[in-house]
Amino acid sequence: MDDPAPSPLPASPPSLARDPQALAALLLMPLFFSTNLIIGRAVAGAVPPWSLAFWRWFIAVAILLPLTAATLIRFRRLLVSEWRRILLLGTLGMVLCGGNVYVALQSTTATNATLIYTTSTIMIVVLDALLARRRLSAIRLVGTVAGFAGIALITVHGEHGRLFGLHFNSGDLGILVAATSWAAYSLMLRNGPLNQMGPLPTFTANAVAGTALLAPFALWETASGAPFPTGWQAWGAIVFLAISPSVLAFGLYQYCVKVAGAPVTATFLYVMPVYGVLLAVLVLGEELHLYHLVGFVLILGGVILATRPERRPRPAH
């Protein structure tokens, strides 16, 4: 029996209010993603960047394979025929958005990284419309820009003058490469033969490819004298990165792209700074300021505008 063809993604955002499972996934996904930069920066001095990325994905694959092995074996012919696409997805999602990000975080600030990486959402929204030859509605564009403005307001602590005082370096270029790669990775998930397997097996195949591609970088790093990760803190951080911003975040992202489309899913990543600020207030005891609240309104309002379903014109009688 022939494999079923992948279902096309919605041309416009679905009504998330009618799909509580998709809405829950869209809200949880950025929470898991938000832990990556925090933990990545925290262990930057203890674990070399490429080793961190390799072991993160190696452990993630070890978790994923028992759950998806049967499906991957059933679709082995598809995997062989699509090996180039899988390698490209592994390069974009795990190498350029993995080890490359950890390297860049060693020479850039959290403010710069947040602002630059968030541009990937704008890229996805605009490029998705162009590739689908679909007009980008004004309200979705306004929502996308409003969300970005909210993130910018929070990252510069409400002081607009800080935007003009930002300095960019090679680390920022690395983050820009990662943002562009994430946009490409997201758009490649929209359709294609690999969607026949379902979100989790497809993600597993990409992760296996990414781990294999990361291995030479980690070996080179260790051979060059970089320390091997030791101690419970280093390995605890690696295991956490393998679970939270890898298995959970990427798995939910693949699922959300399938059910809601790449632009909607990417727009919900705007909620990451909201989670970050609230966690800092609750866990670290940091203060909540007015600019945080204004930023929250812009972000959440932007997400609502950018992901609301578009009304289709009524047919003429």
Side-chain angles (χ1 to χ4, degrees), residues 115-125 178-183 266 269:
L115 286 175
I116 297 171
Y117 208 97
T118 306
T119 61
S120 62
T121 295
I122 299 175
M123 296 181 201
I124 292 170
V125 170
T180 306
S181 299
W182 185 251
L269 289 178

Side-chain angles (χ1 to χ4, degrees), residues 78-96 185 188 194 202-214 216-217:
L78 175 64
L79 294 172
V80 172
S81 65
E82 294 294 317
W83 68 270
R84 292 182 181 85
R85 186 182 186 90
I86 294 171
L87 281 179
L88 180 56
L89 285 166
T91 300
L92 295 171
M94 288 77 198
V95 178
L96 296 179
Y185 178 88
M188 286 184 67
L194 291 175
T202 301
F203 167 48
T204 303
N206 299 339
V208 169
T211 304
L213 292 167
L214 284 166
F217 292 95

Side-chain angles (χ1 to χ4, degrees), residues 31-110:
L31 174 61
F32 295 132
F33 267 125
S34 66
T35 61
N36 185 38
L37 292 179
I38 297 173
I39 302 300
R41 286 185 62 86
V43 298
V47 184
W50 292 109
S51 296
L52 180 61
F54 170 75
W55 288 112
R56 165 195 174 184
W57 285 109
F58 182 87
I59 294 174
V61 167
I63 296 171
L64 289 166
L65 276 179
L67 303 174
T68 59
T71 302
L72 294 174
I73 293 172
R74 182 157 56 93
F75 284 93
R76 58 188 179 277
R77 292 183 180 178
L78 175 64
L79 294 172
V80 172
S81 65
E82 294 294 317
W83 68 270
R84 292 182 181 85
R85 186 182 186 90
I86 294 171
L87 281 179
L88 180 56
L89 285 166
T91 300
L92 295 171
M94 288 77 198
V95 178
L96 296 179
C97 292
N100 169 60
V101 169
Y102 296 143
V103 171
L105 285 174
Q106 294 181 332
S107 56
T108 188
T109 65

Side-chain angles (χ1 to χ4, degrees), residues 1 36 77 100 105 126 144 160 191 208 242 259 296 304-305:
M1 185 173 65
N36 185 38
R77 292 183 180 178
N100 169 60
L105 285 174
V126 174
T144 302
H160 302 87
N191 48 39
V208 169
V259 300
F296 291 171
I304 292 172
L305 290 177

Side-chain angles (χ1 to χ4, degrees), residues 127-142:
L127 289 175
D128 180 79
L130 291 175
L131 291 173
R133 297 181 179 179
R134 184 175 62 248
R135 185 179 66 85
L136 182 60
S137 67
I139 195 165
R140 291 182 66 187
L141 184 59
V142 168

